[in-house]
Amino acid sequence: MDDDNPVGAEAQASGAPPRPRINRHADALKARHGDRVWRIGLDGGFSCPNRAGGRGRGGCSYCAPGAAKAIYLPAGRPSIEAQVESGIDFLERRYGSLLYFPYFQAFSSTFAPIPLLRGRYDEALRAVRARGGLRGLVVSTRPDCVDGEKAALLAEYSRSGLEVWVELGLQSSQDRTLTRIRRGHDYAAFVRARETLGEAGLRTAVHLILGLPGETRADMLETVSRIASLGVEGVKFHDLLVPRASALASEYLAGELSLMHASRLPGLLADCIELLDPACEVIRLQSDAPASELLAPRGRSDKTVLYLAVEALLAARGTRQGSFRGDGGGSPRDGL
């Protein structure tokens, strides 16, 4: 395909769709497993060091007390098995899905002793296996909740034939920003965690937030360049949201916090994607939260609309994922 042509001469001649310019995780999973793979979001009942670790921080400044949870989770404190059943029923009704990764999503899902972690992971895997279509395991956590013992536990599942991902919340590589948002760890902690997971043969995905307080475009692109240099296997981009119950909400209401305008997001995402390794799988491009829980922003784009806008922008530029990898965090558009 001609990268200077938004459609491509071969695609025009054959009627085939153009090759995506973003290496989407969903597409990569389908290629590896032969069909779409869906995540079953689970709440393992874990907390995090910023809430229960004696730090007294009450969570990161952008975090709502309830954390990120799937909309289909039963009310109350359901068992892992009940959550799996509810999740699969929902996904089958909506998508006719067949293949699954149980996804420990809420809070820090390695923040517990090894026996407890093993018990929760095993329960989820048994429940999905009983329904059929088990393909892997995803665990979301923090860099300061990863060590060799926990990596070794997760590596056991990988050696059994499952595709195992560990998602690390980094948000920014700028230590001043990490302090500002009360993360409770520095960038060096992320580097250590990534090395530990890599040595165990585990796939690492990193969460990044665009538009954090005080960050410039150069800061954000430097973060992307840094994580690209570490060879992470996946990335989740989030735009900054202000949940009503978060610490950022009071700053926003006091006029002490301004958010990046939504119109800037497609261009910034395109800049970021040009810096990524082409093999890195892009899992998401924006945050996901019920509008009723958000103080700001309002009127956000649909995820599909945003993806198509970024693809179109890359096509118009004649670039794709990895076009400017290793350029030090800039691009030919710097200063424009």
Side-chain angles (χ1 to χ4, degrees), residues 303-321:
K303 289 185 286 188
T304 300
V305 171
L306 178 61
Y307 166 73
L308 293 174
V310 178
E311 278 278 356
L313 186 52
L314 292 170
R317 294 176 176 181
T319 60
R320 63 175 60 254
Q321 184 171 326

Side-chain angles (χ1 to χ4, degrees), residues 44-293:
F46 306 112
S47 186
C48 85
N50 275 8
R51 294 181 180 275
R55 294 178 180 172
R57 298 175 185 273
C60 302
S61 64
Y62 55 82
C63 187
K69 296 182 182 180
I71 60 172
Y72 47 73
L73 288 183
R77 295 182 178 274
S79 68
I80 298 296
E81 181 179 4
Q83 293 181 52
V84 167
E85 291 290 331
S86 179
I88 291 180
D89 288 345
F90 174 87
L91 293 168
E92 285 184 348
R93 287 195 306 269
R94 177 167 288 193
Y95 304 111
S97 53
L98 296 171
L99 305 181
Y100 304 103
F101 286 175
Y103 170 32
F104 285 88
Q105 179 180 19
F107 294 117
S108 302
S109 297
T110 60
F111 186 55
I114 292 294
L116 177 57
L117 296 176
R118 186 187 296 276
R120 300 281 166 83
Y121 301 159
D122 285 351
E123 184 179 358
L125 295 171
R126 282 195 303 269
V128 178
R129 190 175 283 114
R131 292 286 297 261
L134 176 65
R135 287 294 184 273
L137 172 67
V138 183
V139 173
S140 182
T141 190
R142 295 166 49 96
D144 53 355
C145 293
V146 170
D147 57 31
E149 189 178 15
K150 291 169 182 175
L153 169 63
L154 291 166
E156 291 180 21
Y157 299 110
S158 180
R159 288 194 297 272
S160 75
L162 297 176
E163 181 172 319
V164 179
W165 286 82
V166 180
E167 296 191 354
L168 294 178
L170 172 62
Q171 320 313 349
S172 172
S173 72
Q174 311 297 331
D175 284 344
R176 68 180 186 282
T177 302
L178 297 177
T179 299
R180 170 73 170 79
I181 61 176
R182 308 193 320 207
R183 279 296 293 173
H185 66 76
D186 58 11
Y187 176 60
F190 171 81
V191 175
R192 291 192 297 271
R194 161 60 186 160
E195 291 173 349
T196 298
L197 295 171
E199 290 168 358
L202 298 166
R203 291 177 167 92
T204 301
V206 56
H207 290 223
L208 301 178
I209 297 178
L210 302 178
L212 285 167
E215 290 223 333
T216 65
R217 174 180 175 275
D219 290 331
M220 291 179 266
L221 295 186
E222 182 177 42
T223 290
V224 174
S225 289
R226 285 176 172 176
I227 66 107
S229 72
L230 296 176
V232 297
E233 288 80 11
V235 62
K236 279 186 172 181
F237 291 106
H238 302 263
D239 51 322
L240 180 63
L241 304 182
V242 182
R244 294 182 182 278
S246 68
L248 282 185
S250 59
E251 295 184 34
Y252 181 80
L253 291 172
E256 298 168 352
L257 174 69
S258 61
L259 301 182
M260 177 177 62
H261 194 274
S263 64
R264 293 183 55 199
L265 189 57
L268 179 58
L269 283 166
D271 294 343
C272 291
I273 287 164
E274 289 168 343
L275 296 173
L276 289 175
D277 188 316
C280 180
E281 298 173 19
V282 178
I283 302 173
R284 66 161 58 242
L285 291 177
Q286 69 175 150
S287 305
D288 194 10
S292 61
E293 297 180 5

